[in-house]
Amino acid sequence: MLIEARNLRKRFGDVEALAGVSFHVKSGEIYGLLGPNGAGKSTTINILCGLVQPDGGEARLNGIDVVRNAVDARRLLGVVPQEVALYSELSARDNLAFFGRLYGLRGADLRARIGVVLEQVSLADRAKEPIERFSGGMLRRLNIAAGILHRPKAVLLDEPTVGLDPQTRASILDLIRSIATDAAILYTTHYLDEAERLCDRIGIIDHGALLVEGTLAELRTAAGEREIVALRGTFKSDAIPAALGLGAEIQLLKSGPDELLFTVTSAERSLSGLLATAGSFGEVREVAVKQPSLENLFIKLTGRELRD
Amino acid sequence: MNALVIACHHLFRIVRSPGLILILLAIPLTLAGIEYAAFGPTVASGRLPPIKVLVLDEDRSFLAGAVPQLFTSGGPLKDTFETLAVPDRAAAQALFQKNDAAALVIVPAGFQQALLDGRRAELQFAPNPLQTFSPQIAESVLSMVTLIGNGLYQQALTPLQRINALKNSGRQPTADEIAEISRGFFEAGRRVNGLSAINNISVTSVRPAGQREGIGASPQAFFAFIFPGLVIFGVMFVSQSLGLRLLRDRTRGLERRVAMAPVSPATQLAGSFLFMIVGLFVILMLLMLVGAAVFRIELRHPPALLLIGAGFSVFAAALHLAIIGIAKDDRSASFIGTGIIMVLALLGGTFIPAEQFPDFLRRVAFVMPNGAAQQAFIDVLAHGRTLAEASTRVGVTWAWALAMLGAALVLSRRRAIA
């Protein structure tokens, strides 16, 4: 295994950021760590980079302990941080030259690698230009180039498409797919469609715990064929579960004063009954029905939508 | 090795984007240039520019015509003053407004007659309100010369009073009266002649061996005296600017990205220190070379200058690395840094020469890091002292440098761990 996390635990004061997270990523595999903001994705990345020490558990890169041999472990690692961390006064080539030297690349090898990755991210014709003139998408591509310049065996990509337009996002996903041939990639995101499109395996993380992991097909199966019905409005939520008399047809996922979430075998059959019961205990202002999907699974597991 | 890569990278960034650093470097050079424009020609000629005094003669008498000579009669006054006769007060006012004269002396009508009558005779002195020092010098000299003149006049007062009495009586003096008046003038002349020894007094300066002749002795000496303070002041601000660059790297996630590379925290810290120290040392030495080229400062004892420059570079770098080690953001770092620079500049004698300070403040100035470095530079550049002779101040500079380096390492490490 190139990337290996075993029972990682980390607390920041009263907040439990990681509560025993375990996963692994093989060479050539893209593993998506999916979760909302604050779920524990960045803490996991920071531990794998050796920037944060875990309170418990262990993290290894190609068998090297990232806590005990942080510098050695980092030689195998390429990191693409969430923010564009590049020197705006320098050209694309000069930025890459600096990061390449930090990883021990020198001379002709460094120049050759810079040429290759600039071609890979389609910036070869802008190599000598100060990057302060670059667009957001170009900066993101160069940000990735700086992370893969030294041919890392493991690449951590921390939400590399945040804030980009759909077209640029699509080109970056293609780029990531192209670099995954000979590296293990850990990809964090809170975009479900990205995870569905890009990742070989996906782990859903929330409140510091890995709730489920598997291939997309496995996760869809886990989501079942049930639909999700969301009723939004104002409710006396405590009284509703008893009044509904829930059975196999309808399962309550979450009840709150402003939202009720159910999984149902058929929304068409159950909706009128749900509306009548919920209406007698409050006011329904909005109804949403979701088809079986990864998002449904996420809601089923966490009781909330990913954008929360 | 990576520390060197990081240091070179930051230096390369300055070369690629030197704007702010050049502006900061221009500050001491501009200040020195202004001082050169103000004092350079004067210092080059070896004397102060003459103070121009206007004279308005409303009496049009023999004695009134001698008044300008009070300022230019000879000796040191000859080079200190120049006089210009003006026809009326309006002409004097016009020259005042052009700032072309320091003062106006008016000899009122009846001046000579009053003197001959033994009455009070008055000269009027009007300073140019646009100037401060020159009118005061002119007024002091006029008062002093008048005092001497009054003393001489007192010697001949008795025979003059006898002449006036005879004139008022309307009769011709007798031979005895003429003889008495003549004796009175003779005695007065004999007393005044006794003062002729004054003419033989001269002043010889006695200085310890190696003591400078004075900062006005040559332009080189003058700028060797003022330039180090300006350079040190400028370097402090450049250091602040470099420190803020590193702090912005932190807030923009660049420092974090470097930390994700196979670079230990100690190496990253060493790279930052090396960049700051080398950068400041190069800038300080460049400023000195520019000073030598433009203001013709003689760069004596290069090893001493290099050691002082290195010590102060270490101090300034460590100070601002310590500040960014404790500051939350670049705003608070700017506030703290500027505050410390201004306090150091005030206490260290950047704005007012420390040798003019009261005793206690002077002692404080010479133990301040910038004050010690500035004085060490002055000792070498202006006084021609060797490294051994300036060793105390060089030692104070290096003591501060090492102490601040230790503090910066502790604070930066604590920050890195946090």
Side-chain angles (χ1 to χ4, degrees), chain B residues 13-306:
Chain B
R13 288 171 66 197
I14 292 181
V15 173
R16 278 295 161 98
S17 180
L20 182 62
I21 303 295
L22 288 178
I23 291 170
L24 290 170
L25 286 180
I27 292 172
L29 291 174
T30 306
L31 285 172
I34 290 169
E35 295 202 30
Y36 189 79
F39 303 115
T42 302
V43 175
S45 71
R47 64 186 177 92
L48 290 166
I51 297 168
K52 187 186 278 186
V53 177
L54 307 177
V55 179
L56 173 57
D57 183 1
E58 294 178 343
D59 192 41
R60 312 229 177 252
S61 63
F62 171 75
L63 282 176
V67 166
Q69 292 177 30
L70 293 177
F71 291 100
T72 58
S73 59
L77 293 181
K78 192 178 173 185
D79 292 331
T80 308
F81 291 98
E82 69 177 18
T83 57
L84 178 70
V86 287
D88 50 38
R89 290 174 194 240
Q93 189 61 32
L95 289 169
F96 272 13
Q97 282 175 352
K98 285 189 208 165
N99 203 18
D100 198 18
L104 168 67
V105 175
I106 302 166
V107 187
F111 174 77
Q112 177 176 283
Q113 194 56 51
L115 279 177
L116 292 175
D117 291 350
R119 288 183 285 112
R120 181 180 173 79
E122 190 178 70
L123 287 171
Q124 292 173 3
F125 181 88
N128 183 351
L130 297 179
Q131 296 186 10
T132 305
F133 299 112
S134 296
Q136 284 184 11
I137 294 169
E139 188 174 8
S140 300
V141 167
L142 183 62
S143 300
M144 186 183 71
V145 172
T146 307
L147 191 70
I148 295 168
N150 282 339
L152 294 172
Y153 177 72
Q154 284 295 323
Q155 300 299 319
L157 188 60
T158 307
L160 283 171
Q161 283 173 341
R162 290 298 303 270
I163 292 170
N164 276 332
L166 284 169
K167 229 170 72 176
N168 292 336
S169 69
R171 67 177 175 81
Q172 292 295 315
T174 64
D176 287 344
E177 284 170 333
I178 290 170
E180 190 186 341
I181 290 168
S182 298
R183 190 162 52 250
F185 278 120
F186 173 75
E187 290 297 331
R190 200 167 64 176
R191 284 196 295 275
V192 170
N193 191 44
L195 294 174
S196 64
I198 289 172
N199 202 35
N200 294 326
I201 297 173
S202 65
V203 178
T204 304
S205 297
V206 180
R207 294 190 174 89
Q211 178 85 4
R212 65 192 157 90
E213 291 178 6
I215 60 166
S218 71
Q220 291 88 343
F222 177 72
F223 284 101
F225 183 78
I226 64 157
F227 197 58
L230 298 175
V231 167
I232 281 174
F233 189 55
V235 165
M236 290 289 274
F237 276 107
V238 171
S239 173
Q240 183 185 32
S241 168
L242 298 184
L244 288 175
R245 269 183 184 230
L246 294 179
L247 185 59
R248 285 189 200 109
D249 284 357
R250 186 189 300 157
T251 54
R252 287 165 55 203
L254 288 159
E255 191 182 79
R256 191 166 169 273
R257 183 162 203 169
V258 172
M260 291 170 172
V263 173
S264 69
T267 303
Q268 204 173 355
L269 205 58
S272 300
F273 271 76
L274 202 56
F275 150 64
M276 289 279 285
I277 291 167
V278 172
L280 289 177
F281 181 70
V282 169
I283 284 167
L284 198 151
M285 287 301 134
L286 273 177
L287 280 172
M288 282 293 178
L289 289 173
V290 170
V294 176
F295 306 116
R296 290 178 288 162
I297 299 171
E298 188 187 347
L299 297 179
R300 304 167 180 178
H301 306 299
L305 295 178
L306 291 172

Side-chain angles (χ1 to χ4, degrees), chain A residues 12-264:
Chain A
F12 294 108
D14 294 335
V15 179
E16 188 166 40
L18 291 182
V21 168
S22 300
F23 63 88
H24 64 269
V25 190
K26 296 177 289 188
S27 182
E29 183 181 41
I30 302 178
Y31 185 94
L33 201 55
L34 188 66
N37 292 332
K41 303 189 298 291
S42 292
T43 304
T44 306
I45 294 263
N46 286 340
I47 289 174
L48 287 168
C49 296
L51 292 183
V52 171
Q53 292 215 351
D55 297 333
E58 61 178 14
R60 289 178 179 277
L61 294 171
N62 203 24
I64 300 172
D65 191 308
V66 300
V67 176
R68 292 199 187 107
N69 297 304
V71 173
D72 287 340
R74 284 189 214 134
R75 286 186 215 287
L76 308 172
L77 192 63
V79 185
V80 180
Q82 198 176 116
E83 68 275 19
V84 174
L86 298 165
Y87 299 93
S88 56
E89 66 272 38
L90 300 184
S91 67
R93 183 181 294 277
D94 290 337
N95 266 286
L96 294 179
F98 170 60
F99 288 111
R101 285 190 193 104
L102 286 182
Y103 285 90
L105 297 177
R106 298 284 188 277
D109 188 25
L110 175 63
R111 285 192 294 277
R113 278 302 295 164
I114 290 171
V116 168
V117 292
L118 282 175
E119 286 289 346
Q120 221 170 342
V121 298
S122 309
L123 289 172
D125 56 336
R126 311 286 294 267
K128 292 178 183 171
E129 216 175 292
I131 64 164
E132 58 199 3
R133 297 183 203 154
F134 281 16
S135 68
M138 290 162 73
L139 288 172
R140 289 280 180 187
R141 296 206 303 271
L142 187 62
N143 208 31
I144 293 171
I148 60 170
L149 178 72
H150 57 288
R151 306 181 195 91
K153 289 188 172 177
V155 182
L156 310 183
L157 293 123
D158 191 7
E159 306 197 29
T161 59
V162 168
L164 292 179
D165 61 82
Q167 200 179 355
T168 311
R169 274 176 62 196
S171 76
I172 286 181
L173 294 186
D174 289 342
L175 171 64
I176 292 166
R177 176 49 75 187
S178 74
I179 61 176
T181 49
D182 50 3
I185 294 183
L186 177 64
Y187 186 88
T188 74
T189 182
H190 61 261
Y191 294 129
L192 284 161
D193 61 321
E194 280 187 5
E196 284 179 335
R197 180 179 160 188
L198 188 69
C199 300
D200 302 312
R201 287 193 304 131
I202 295 166
I204 294 179
I205 187 170
D206 193 29
H207 296 301
L210 198 64
L211 302 176
V212 66
E213 69 169 350
T215 62
L216 188 59
E218 288 167 348
L219 294 181
R220 278 190 174 142
T221 304
E225 294 305 314
R226 299 171 73 88
E227 293 169 296
I228 288 183
V229 176
L231 305 181
R232 297 195 184 92
T234 313
F235 307 105
K236 293 171 193 167
S237 53
D238 294 346
I240 289 177
L244 282 169
L246 300 172
E249 180 82 3
I250 303 172
Q251 286 178 357
L252 180 68
L253 276 179
K254 179 187 167 189
S255 67
D258 52 4
E259 187 180 51
L260 300 171
L261 280 179
F262 305 94
T263 61
V264 297

